[in-house]
Amino acid sequence: MDSMPSARFCTPLITSAAATASQASTRRLFSTSRFHLGRQRSSLATFCTAAADPGSAASRLLSVGFLRHVESMSRLPSGNGRISHLNAVVLGEALAAEENDLIFPSPEFSRDALVSSPEQYRKMYKRSIEDPAGFWSEIAAQFYWKKRWSPDVYSENIDVRQGPVKIEWFKGGITNICYNALDRNIEAGNGDKVALYWEGNEPGQDGQLTYAQLLDQVCQLANYLKHVGVRKGDAVVIYLPMLMELPIAMLACARIGAVHSVVFAGFSAESLAQRIIDCKPKVVICCNAVRRGAKEINLKAIVDNALVESANNGIAVDLCLVYENQSTMKKVDNKWQDGRDILWQEVVPQFPIKCPVEWVDAEDPLFLLYTSGSTGKPKGVLHTTGGYMVYTATTFKYAFDYKPSDIYWCTADCGWITGHSYVTYGPLLNGATVLVFEGAPSYPDPGRCWDIVDKYKVTLFYTAPTLVRALMREGDEYVTRYSRKSLRVLGSVGEPINPSAWRWFYNVVGDSRCPISDTWWQTETGGFLITPIPGAWPQKPGSATFPFFGVQPVIVDEKGNEIEGECSGYLCIKNSWPGIFRSLYGDHERYETTYFKPFAGYYFSGDGCSRDKDGYHWLTGRVDDVINVSGHRIGTAEIESALVSHPLCVEAAVVGVDHQVKGQGIYAFVTLVDGVDYTDEVRKSLILAVRTQIGAFAAPDKIHWAPGLPKTRSGKIMRRILRKIASKQLDELGDISTLAEPSVVNQLIEYSDC
């Protein structure tokens, strides 16, 4: 290969000894990976040349060491190429190979990005930390407030040693999130812009609503709810599939100050009843039925059973509003309780399309969302209005580099926090066009997602790693038969995405030209905490990269001591941010015990995290998913990533089991590429992959062949079930009704002795 002109690169940031040691591997890399390097060299050279100027922005970044990944833009002496472990590619020019750590945005993408450089991010982030009141006040002022907040923009105590935990943002400010999501955009001239596209389960079923039409329907439902006695502060449970009526119901509640609690329309009657009993709603809004793929689900029957159970526990709901999903099931096919059950289509359209706004304080509750708890009782996460509004809108805007012309599709269900923050509120607050999809992503075939992308010219696509891996398993041909040229930014949510799935998502789905916003956040955080900002800095496959504005992540050891530099430990957050939840409904003590007592003075995420020498963050999964093998603590996500790196493995889930000698053993459920036989040779090669990448101590004690894994309909792996199967506690499997394919459980049991 021709030598690289030394004039194009900045002064080497490594010693000559280190350079000599890596020359052999560097030559091997360049002999096997012939990328389009012309413009790649140019982009590196541009930054490095700037860094050589003591007064330049790049030089200042290097000197402060704030974004240490800038230091990776280095080279070996002329003629020897780049450092192999810091080899890079530029978006749109080359595939992300296994050797590549850094993937740079193209100059064209960065030029038009909202945050176009590390320097711009550094300035904004620095201000958000040093002057959070000023930073967030300026952003909040872009929304409509009936009354401005008090001079103290925020107040907080997150240190249990100093008294009860209490967090407030924009207290005293009077606003309404529905008004800001709809009326404000219409008043800005966007009434005729499409707010929602809807794609049904069956190809060819579709619909759309403009912002003006969406407001009309929201007001009609809001007026009906007021008519039946729902008032500010009352709870309304929503048990709907992904119809447009789901965000309509959420916005209608917000418009009148009611507190909505969306329950994923896949939960069992028992789970729904638990939530009804806890929040005591005035009304339950549901749907008669839904079809997911080829499967028809009678949702009304589930609700009927839940209402019976809640009544038996002293909580009777007098009104159940039922939307008739006519494409699935007619009303006549449902049981009907006169006086309690009311058909949406018979009453809601009769109400006026204008509904006055109920103005609320920024700290008034917006919604309850129940998340699983270790004790078995679901936790009612309480989010308030003002801070959540400002934070979700801002994170959506920057993490997806949102432009008014974008068509945005998040595959999440509104029954989860992602559907709240990044299907309904965040996008609509920005005036975005949002796609709502009712069906299954692999129905009628695994190309459905990309068919939808082409149909609606989707530009921003946000999904879960589980779906990425599932589609990856089906083969590239289901992707490449579609254009996907409209795609501009990809996103990942829900769990750490392993590097091999990241690369497939980037290389195949995104044609090596779309940045991936690999976001880390939680139900409790309201919005993204650590996320790439497209165009601002290079990405590393599998890394969530750097904190969002106003977020101060720290990694602590078991004693709560902050660890600096390259390290692994417990991920905590210093100070509050506007979108953080304020309490657990009816159980503030549990709120403090779960999130603020483990490491006093911090919000404890419950997740493990590694930070590399360049400052990039790598989420390693829940700390309760850490396995202690003979004194070695290892995250299950790390083992899973090593397994999935094997070319024959498309998905893996690891749990810990009791071991007489080691304390805990490693039990791995592994799904192979279609057509590959389960053999002892494959088993040994999988174990070898883990031994090679991590170490002998991390080698699985058991490989359990898994034709499929137990997942919820949103794609979340139910590890509770896997632990029971691994421990042979088959009589304790519990409720499996929320699984997308309950039959998978029996398959796994059949393979237990293979």
Side-chain angles (χ1 to χ4, degrees):
M1 188 172 195
D2 294 338
S3 63
M4 295 185 177
S6 58
R8 292 190 176 185
F9 293 84
C10 54
T11 303
L13 297 175
I14 60 169
T15 64
S16 58
T20 302
S22 63
Q23 286 179 13
S25 60
T26 303
R27 292 193 191 98
R28 178 193 59 78
L29 173 67
F30 274 81
S31 66
T32 57
S33 302
R34 294 192 176 276
F35 299 129
H36 300 290
L37 291 172
R39 285 167 59 198
Q40 179 180 326
R41 290 176 181 167
S42 176
S43 64
L44 288 169
T46 299
F47 192 96
C48 293
T49 300
D53 176 5
S56 71
S59 177
R60 290 196 298 276
L61 276 173
L62 291 174
S63 64
V64 299
F66 186 78
L67 294 176
R68 293 200 53 203
H69 64 277
V70 173
E71 297 178 13
S72 67
M73 299 176 188
S74 58
R75 63 163 178 87
L76 295 182
S78 177
N80 292 320
R82 279 182 299 279
I83 305 168
S84 62
H85 72 281
L86 293 176
N87 191 30
V89 294
V90 178
L91 288 172
E93 295 198 356
L95 296 180
E98 294 296 322
E99 299 90 347
N100 296 118
D101 286 333
L102 293 176
I103 297 178
F104 289 75
S106 69
E108 293 81 6
F109 191 101
S110 291
R111 182 189 62 228
D112 298 328
L114 294 174
V115 181
S116 59
S117 67
E119 175 67 3
Q120 183 184 354
Y121 164 77
R122 188 189 72 84
K123 287 182 178 179
M124 294 177 70
Y125 180 79
K126 186 171 184 289
R127 187 183 175 217
S128 75
I129 299 303
E130 295 179 350
D131 180 22
F135 180 86
W136 290 111
S137 285
E138 288 183 9
I139 293 176
Q142 300 169 20
F143 298 91
Y144 180 81
W145 299 80
K146 192 76 171 176
K147 176 186 174 185
R148 188 177 170 87
W149 51 90
S150 63
D152 295 328
V153 177
Y154 71 99
S155 63
E156 66 179 28
N157 174 47
I158 64 170
D159 191 338
V160 292
R161 298 168 298 189
Q162 305 299 320
V165 173
K166 187 175 183 180
I167 299 166
E168 294 179 335
W169 281 82
F170 310 113
K171 178 69 174 175
I174 306 299
T175 189
N176 183 284
I177 196 170
C178 175
Y179 182 90
N180 276 285
L182 301 183
D183 306 63
R184 183 174 61 96
N185 282 307
I186 293 170
E187 291 165 6
N190 292 320
D192 293 331
K193 182 178 180 179
V194 174
L196 300 178
Y197 283 119
W198 175 75
E199 175 77 6
N201 182 66
E202 301 294 334
Q205 293 179 339
D206 53 33
Q208 66 180 56
L209 291 173
T210 65
Y211 270 87
Q213 292 168 334
L214 177 58
L215 177 59
D216 289 348
Q217 294 203 21
V218 166
C219 286
Q220 286 182 314
L221 179 57
N223 281 321
Y224 171 76
L225 292 174
K226 289 168 63 177
H227 173 74
V228 298
V230 176
R231 298 291 181 262
K232 178 182 176 181
D234 288 340
V236 174
V237 165
I238 303 171
Y239 187 76
L240 286 169
M242 287 298 283
L243 304 170
M244 287 190 285
E245 283 68 26
L246 178 46
I248 286 171
M250 296 166 68
L251 290 161
C253 290
R255 191 168 191 84
I256 63 175
V259 181
H260 62 71
S261 180
V262 182
V263 180
F264 172 57
F267 274 120
S268 66
E270 180 181 353
S271 297
L272 176 58
Q274 285 181 325
R275 289 151 174 79
I276 292 172
I277 293 167
D278 193 61
C279 73
K280 305 173 182 60
K282 278 283 187 74
V283 176
V284 171
I285 301 176
C286 71
C287 177
N288 62 333
V290 66
R291 190 182 299 276
R292 291 194 180 97
K295 184 178 182 181
E296 184 176 280
I297 304 168
N298 189 332
L299 297 179
K300 177 65 165 53
I302 295 172
V303 174
D304 289 342
N305 292 334
L307 291 177
V308 169
E309 185 172 342
S310 64
N312 290 338
N313 282 273
I315 304 299
V317 178
D318 297 327
L319 181 60
C320 180
L321 182 64
V322 184
Y323 182 82
E324 184 180 10
N325 189 4
Q326 296 178 351
S327 64
T328 302
M329 182 181 290
K330 304 298 183 184
K331 174 191 171 184
V332 293
D333 297 320
N334 291 112
K335 292 183 179 179
W336 210 256
Q337 181 173 315
D338 291 334
R340 185 198 69 185
D341 298 342
I342 305 295
L343 189 65
W344 177 311
Q345 284 92 332
E346 290 182 354
V347 294
V348 173
Q350 299 177 14
F351 283 81
I353 59 173
K354 302 293 182 184
C355 178
V357 171
E358 181 72 39
W359 300 105
V360 300
D361 189 275
E363 283 301 320
D364 281 341
L366 174 63
F367 65 84
L368 285 173
L369 186 58
Y370 287 87
T371 185
S372 59
S374 58
T375 63
K377 180 185 178 183
K379 300 176 291 186
V381 170
L382 176 65
H383 279 286
T384 55
T385 302
Y388 175 85
M389 175 179 73
V390 172
Y391 196 73
T392 54
T394 307
T395 48
F396 173 82
K397 174 182 176 180
Y398 286 107
F400 294 110
D401 188 49
Y402 171 71
K403 306 291 195 296
S405 59
D406 280 321
I407 306 296
Y408 168 75
W409 180 20
C410 171
T411 64
D413 191 288
C414 288
W416 311 110
I417 186 63
T418 306
H420 284 60
S421 298
Y422 300 112
V423 172
T424 303
Y425 290 118
L428 294 179
L429 287 164
N430 280 278
T433 296
V434 182
L435 175 63
V436 175
F437 178 45
E438 179 191 19
S442 294
Y443 177 82
D445 65 52
R448 182 70 186 280
C449 284
W450 322 122
D451 179 46
I452 293 172
V453 165
D454 283 358
K455 176 178 178 179
Y456 295 97
K457 302 296 186 289
V458 171
T459 57
L460 312 176
F461 179 70
Y462 190 37
T463 193
T466 301
L467 178 57
V468 173
R469 289 190 291 266
L471 296 176
M472 177 180 170
R473 180 186 182 187
E474 300 293 342
D476 297 359
E477 63 273 14
Y478 284 105
V479 183
T480 56
R481 69 174 61 165
Y482 297 97
S483 165
R484 296 159 288 109
K485 288 183 179 179
S486 60
L487 289 173
R488 195 171 67 79
V489 177
L490 304 175
S492 171
V493 59
E495 60 182 295
I497 183 169
N498 51 293
S500 60
W502 193 104
R503 291 184 177 97
W504 183 85
F505 199 26
Y506 167 74
N507 291 333
V508 179
V509 175
D511 285 333
S512 307
R513 57 181 175 78
C514 300
I516 298 177
S517 287
D518 179 11
T519 61
W520 175 78
W521 61 301
Q522 301 171 321
T523 302
E524 295 86 347
T525 70
F528 309 144
L529 294 192
I530 304 176
T531 178
I533 296 181
W537 57 70
Q539 293 186 257
K540 294 186 179 184
S543 171
T545 70
F546 297 99
F548 192 72
F549 306 124
V551 176
Q552 299 183 68
V554 295
I555 298 175
V556 303
D557 61 20
E558 292 184 352
K559 295 182 179 180
N561 300 311
E562 291 186 26
I563 314 172
E564 299 295 333
E566 187 175 2
C567 62
S568 294
Y570 300 93
L571 180 58
C572 297
I573 310 295
K574 276 185 177 180
N575 303 327
S576 69
W577 59 95
I580 188 174
F581 74 134
R582 303 305 196 251
S583 188
L584 292 175
Y585 180 66
D587 199 347
H588 198 73
E589 181 180 357
R590 186 183 184 190
Y591 170 73
E592 294 182 339
T593 300
T594 303
Y595 302 98
F596 299 97
K597 284 187 177 179
F599 299 102
Y602 302 96
Y603 167 81
F604 175 47
S605 69
D607 282 342
C609 184
S610 294
R611 184 173 54 228
D612 67 22
K613 63 183 182 58
D614 299 318
Y616 284 69
H617 293 80
W618 303 78
L619 277 298
T620 56
R622 303 295 294 172
V623 294
D624 53 11
D625 286 335
V626 172
I627 302 174
N628 195 328
V629 182
S630 301
H632 297 284
R633 292 174 60 82
I634 179 88
T636 57
E638 189 173 356
I639 304 171
E640 290 164 1
S641 183
L643 288 166
V644 174
S645 70
H646 191 287
L648 299 182
C649 176
V650 294
E651 193 161 31
V654 171
V655 297
V657 292
D658 290 337
H659 193 284
Q660 289 184 341
V661 177
K662 297 187 290 187
Q664 279 190 298
I666 297 172
Y667 197 109
F669 294 83
V670 172
T671 303
L672 299 180
V673 173
D674 279 347
V676 175
D677 294 331
Y678 302 125
T679 66
D680 199 47
E681 287 185 9
V682 175
R683 190 193 312 270
K684 290 177 180 177
S685 66
L686 286 164
I687 294 173
L688 180 61
V690 177
R691 293 174 66 97
T692 302
Q693 292 192 32
I694 303 175
F697 73 93
D701 297 281
K702 167 76 173 179
I703 298 285
H704 186 132
W705 302 124
L709 294 172
K711 301 173 186 176
T712 64
R713 294 183 183 96
S714 66
K716 181 179 180 181
I717 297 172
M718 296 288 281
R719 296 174 190 275
R720 167 183 62 81
I721 294 174
L722 295 180
R723 291 190 188 96
K724 296 300 182 183
I725 293 174
S727 302
K728 299 189 182 302
Q729 298 172 318
L730 303 183
D731 57 339
E732 300 178 18
L733 290 175
D735 181 17
I736 62 172
S737 65
T738 61
L739 298 181
E741 295 292 342
S743 61
V744 165
V745 175
N746 289 331
Q747 288 181 321
L748 290 175
I749 293 172
E750 291 173 5
Y751 276 86
S752 293
D753 298 322
C754 294

